[in-house]
Structures are given as structure tokens and as C-alpha cells.
């Protein structure tokens, strides 16, 4: 985990020196992003459907050997970005996540759905850093919640994310 943090900081510093006012986020562009969380890294695949719209599936997986538990998260975010010709682009969108834990042949899952707000700064055509705030309605599993919330209930929660993205 320490290596990932150092890699991210070094990448930001190196790419920061090649900043371009009209960089990145062009229609048809594809990227891979990484968000480091407390439990496991989240991998995000960005596709720019237009100069303003991104479609972003994501996933993470975390395995614990004793006891044998696998936790994975799949999600999707649809966002619209403003200021398509600028390096910094605020965005607003909606996100959906399904957080699942499997153990002993049983699976338990929580569903997250809600708005996401943030901004993405493009250092160049191939590198950006994004920060986001997500407000989510959470419907927990009836038996067990992967997030260790009370089973069978609905919550409103929020999260903040910092993502590093590489574009092709």
C-alpha cells in the first residue's frame, strides 16, 4: 500500500510539469483510473462518449484467507463535465455500486445509488487527477451488510474519492 501511495505522488509530480491548458478528455478517449481506499484499490475504466460525457465502470476485489472471505465491488458512474476545452473540468453525475461479500458459499450485498459531484484536472492528454464527493442511498442486505451496517435497512451516506487516471 505504501508503494502505491509513493507511486501516485511521484506520477503527479512528473506529469505536473507537462501541464497543457487544453489537455485530455476528448470524445472516444479511453482511460484507466485508480482510487486507493482503506479496504482495497478501486480500478475505474473511463470512456469519453463525447467531449462532456463519461461512462465509467469500476471494480475492486479484496480476499482474506482466514477465514475465507472475498469482498468485491462493481459499479458504474455516468457523468457530464462542464468546460470541455479547459484543463480543470467540474462534473456532476450519478453512480451505482454493488458491494458483495462471499464466505462459505453464501453471498451478501449492499446497493449504493446517488449523485456524484467533483472535478478533474488534466495535466496533459494522458494524465489527470480527479476528486469527487458521492452522496448515496444504501439498501443493506437482509442478512448481513458488507459495510457492517444494520441488515435490512436504508441509509444515506457519503464518500470522498481521489482518483489518478491514465488515458490512451
Amino acid at each position: 500500500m505504501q508503494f502505491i501511495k509513493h507511486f501516485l505522488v511521484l506520477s503527479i509530480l512528473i506529469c505536473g510539469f507537462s501541464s497543457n491548458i487544453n489537455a485530455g478528455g476528448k470524445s472516444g478517449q479511453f482511460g484507466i483510473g485508480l482510487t486507493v481506499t482503506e479496504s482495497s484499490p478501486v480500478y475505474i475504466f473511463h470512456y469519453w462518449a463525447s467531449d462532456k460525457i463519461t461512462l465509467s465502470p469500476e471494480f475492486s476485489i479484496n480476499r482474506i484467507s482466514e477465514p475465507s472471505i472475498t469482498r468485491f465491488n462493481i459499479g458504474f458512474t455516468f457523468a457530464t463535465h462542464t468546460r470541455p476545452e479547459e484543463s480543470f473540468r467540474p462534473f456532476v453525475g450519478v453512480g451505482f455500486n454493488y458491494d458483495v461479500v462471499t464466505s462459505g458459499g453464501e453471498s451478501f450485498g449492499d446497493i449504493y445509488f446517488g449523485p456524484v459531484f467533483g472535478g478533474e484536472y488534466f495535466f496533459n492528454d494522458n494524465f489527470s487527477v480527479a476528486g469527487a464527493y458521492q452522496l448515496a442511498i444504501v439498501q443493506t442486505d437482509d442478512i448481513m451488510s458488507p459495510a457492517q451496517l444494520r441488515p435490512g435497512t436504508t441509509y444515506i451516506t457519503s464518500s470522498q474519492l481521489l482518483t489518478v487516471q491514465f488515458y490512451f
Side-chain angles (χ1 to χ4, degrees):
M1 187 63 106
Q2 193 70 3
F3 170 76
I4 292 174
K5 289 180 183 178
H6 289 290
F7 176 75
L8 295 177
V9 170
L10 185 60
S11 297
I12 291 169
L13 291 174
I14 290 171
C15 294
F17 292 110
S18 60
S19 181
N20 180 349
I21 191 89
N22 296 317
K26 297 181 178 38
S27 182
Q29 198 169 19
F30 176 78
I32 297 174
L34 176 68
T35 299
V36 179
T37 66
E38 292 177 12
S39 60
S40 64
V42 177
Y43 301 97
I44 303 168
F45 302 95
H46 289 278
Y47 175 70
W48 286 82
S50 74
D51 288 346
K52 292 186 176 184
I53 296 174
T54 56
L55 308 172
S56 305
E58 62 186 58
F59 78 94
S60 68
I61 189 163
N62 188 12
R63 294 181 185 210
I64 302 169
S65 57
E66 288 297 324
S68 180
I69 296 173
T70 301
R71 182 175 184 179
F72 65 94
N73 181 304
I74 56 173
F76 187 83
T77 301
F78 169 85
T80 181
H81 295 244
T82 60
R83 300 174 27 192
E85 298 300 322
E86 304 281 331
S87 286
F88 178 74
R89 300 184 192 171
F91 62 84
V92 61
V94 62
F96 168 82
N97 290 81
Y98 186 54
D99 188 12
V100 180
V101 167
T102 60
S103 177
E106 294 187 88
S107 295
F108 310 97
D110 293 345
I111 297 171
Y112 294 73
F113 180 79
V116 60
F117 310 92
E120 184 170 7
Y121 181 80
F122 287 87
F123 289 91
N124 57 43
D125 285 343
N126 303 107
F127 181 76
S128 74
V129 174
Y133 177 80
Q134 183 170 14
L135 185 64
I137 297 171
V138 182
Q139 179 59 53
T140 62
D141 191 274
D142 290 335
I143 298 171
M144 186 193 104
S145 167
Q148 299 179 350
L149 300 170
R150 194 171 71 203
T153 56
T154 302
Y155 289 88
I156 295 178
T157 186
S158 64
S159 61
Q160 301 82 36
L161 304 169
L162 180 63
T163 304
V164 174
Q165 288 139 171
F166 298 93
Y167 288 98
F168 308 99

